[in-house]
Amino acid sequence: MFDRITFNSQIMGGRACIRGMRITVSLVLSLVANGMNNQEIIEAYPYLEVEDIQACLNYAAFLASEEIHPFTEIPV
């Protein structure tokens, strides 16, 4: 589902990264959150692709859609 998002304990301490590079999803999301557009991000990090930025946004949306369900006891 997120083929551009990788996890490797030997890279950036196992944090979510882009295609096995030392660029974390959180870095890309921070850049977007602080107002950089795709072109500016790619100029700053030329080894990234627009699809990488989109994958970060999709991954964040997926994580933000988490639901919390309270634990209820099952009557015996």
Side-chain angles (χ1 to χ4, degrees):
M1 182 169 163
F2 298 107
D3 59 334
R4 289 177 175 264
I5 310 297
T6 58
F7 300 88
N8 182 329
S9 62
Q10 302 300 311
I11 300 172
M12 301 302 287
R15 294 170 59 198
C17 291
I18 305 299
R19 294 183 285 126
M21 296 185 287
R22 300 181 68 78
I23 301 293
T24 62
V25 169
S26 62
L27 170 66
V28 175
L29 292 173
S30 292
L31 297 174
V32 172
N34 284 295
M36 289 182 76
N37 63 39
N38 289 353
Q39 184 61 35
E40 292 169 325
I41 294 171
I42 291 171
E43 286 174 7
Y45 299 91
Y47 27 86
L48 289 178
E49 301 170 356
V50 172
E51 293 83 4
D52 297 325
I53 299 167
Q54 189 61 50
C56 290
L57 293 170
N58 289 336
Y59 182 67
F62 173 77
L63 292 178
S65 69
E66 179 180 14
E67 296 179 16
I68 303 296
H69 299 278
F71 177 75
T72 57
E73 291 187 37
I74 300 172
V76 180

